[in-house]
Structure formats: structure tokens, C-alpha cells
Amino acid sequence: MKGNIIKYAQDNIDTDVIIPGQYLKVHDYAELATHAMEGLDPDFHSKVKEGNFILSGKNFGCGSSREHAPIALSHSGIKAVLALSFARIFYRNAVDGAFLLPIEIDQDAYDGISEGDEIDIDVSANEIKNLTKNQTYKMKPFSEIIGKIIAAGGLFKYKPDQD
């Protein structure tokens, strides 16, 4: 999966800035997407492209348990968020709804990947290739159950009896 990076070099990006509270009653996902990251980056909707990735620091998606956050990001074109760590509720909302991939990275990857870099994520090899800088990084592997939920296309499509 290839795309370009939009980097937010900070920790604790919460769901209130990912999708501000006044938009929680919006049920049209395309409309919701136009407000993604509005609380942090009002120009996000004009720079995001289909297939982009967000890169962030620790505890991405902290705050409330709103599933609107991964929905808004996904429908804006984001295919994965790479972060040093995730709030668990954001992580599970992203995986369970099959909205986007929450990819945990280490400090070397965080430091080595810059705004605009083109990267290629190989989930099966747990590898991230920075095509812009010709560098390769490891990603934290998904647990077995998370990998199965992702492969099934989300929690509602996952059938544990077929393992």
C-alpha cells in the first residue's frame, strides 16, 4: 500500500481535533470527511489525497470513544495512521470498522519519515519502505486476532469459528 505522508509532529492528538464535536450529528460520511483534522489543521481537507497516510507521535486518537474519528479520516482519503502509540479505543474503532490501519512504529521510523515522503507499507512483512529516502523500517506486527479481523474486513465480517 503506497501513499504520501502528512506528518503531525506531536503527541496526544485527540478525537476532538480529529473531528470536532459539532460535527458528531453529521451522518453523511463525505460531509464528515470535509471536517477531518479541522481542530488541528483547518487546511487538512484541501491537502489530503486519496491513499495518504498520517504520521504522528504517541497516543494518537486519545479522548472520547467516538468512531467518527477513524470514519472521518478514512473518508477523507487516509488509508493508515502511523504513530508511536495509539489510544486503544481509537485503535479498535479503526480496526473493527475496517476504516483504516493503525500502524505502530518505533522512534527511528518516526524520526526518519518526513512530511510528503512517499512510503510503501507491507503489512505481511511488517515493513515500511520510505521510497523518497530509500530507507526501510519495521512496524509493530498486528496481534493474531487483530490480523484476522483486518483480513476479514472488520469485526462484523470476522467469523471466529472459521479460524
Side-chain angles (χ1 to χ4, degrees):
M1 159 169 73
K2 287 184 187 178
N4 292 84
I5 291 291
I6 298 172
K7 187 169 184 174
Y8 296 104
Q10 65 186 78
D11 298 335
N12 302 312
I13 293 178
D14 66 47
T15 55
D16 291 328
V17 299
I18 296 171
I19 188 68
Q22 67 261 35
Y23 303 112
L24 296 182
K25 293 185 179 183
V26 174
H27 298 291
D28 176 356
Y29 290 170
E31 170 68 16
L32 197 64
T34 66
H35 301 289
M37 301 302 286
E38 191 172 287
L40 177 66
D41 182 358
D43 297 323
F44 177 80
H45 71 279
S46 63
K47 66 182 174 186
V48 68
K49 305 274 188 284
E50 184 65 33
N52 280 164
F53 307 120
I54 287 178
L55 174 63
S56 179
K58 298 174 189 166
N59 202 27
F60 187 89
C62 59
S64 73
S65 62
R66 60 183 71 154
E67 66 276 3
H68 300 74
I71 291 169
L73 292 175
S74 171
H75 285 270
S76 72
I78 297 297
K79 296 299 172 211
V81 175
L82 290 72
L84 294 169
S85 65
F86 288 89
R88 296 331 294 169
I89 191 70
F90 178 91
Y91 185 94
R92 286 308 301 257
N93 280 338
V95 169
D96 291 351
F99 300 119
L100 53 81
L101 290 179
I103 297 175
E104 292 188 54
I105 57 170
D106 63 20
Q107 191 68 47
D108 288 339
Y110 178 76
D111 292 339
I113 300 171
S114 302
E115 174 80 18
D117 283 358
E118 182 182 16
I119 64 169
D120 186 6
I121 300 171
D122 183 346
V123 173
S124 64
N126 297 313
E127 196 171 78
I128 301 165
K129 292 181 184 174
N130 187 326
L131 303 175
T132 303
K133 297 178 180 172
N134 196 28
Q135 296 173 335
T136 302
Y137 309 99
K138 285 294 186 186
M139 58 178 264
K140 182 178 176 182
F142 292 114
S143 70
E144 183 180 354
I145 187 65
I146 294 296
K148 289 177 180 181
I149 292 169
I150 290 168
L155 186 61
F156 292 118
K157 294 181 181 177
Y158 172 65
K159 295 179 178 37
D161 56 331
Q162 294 180 351
D163 288 345

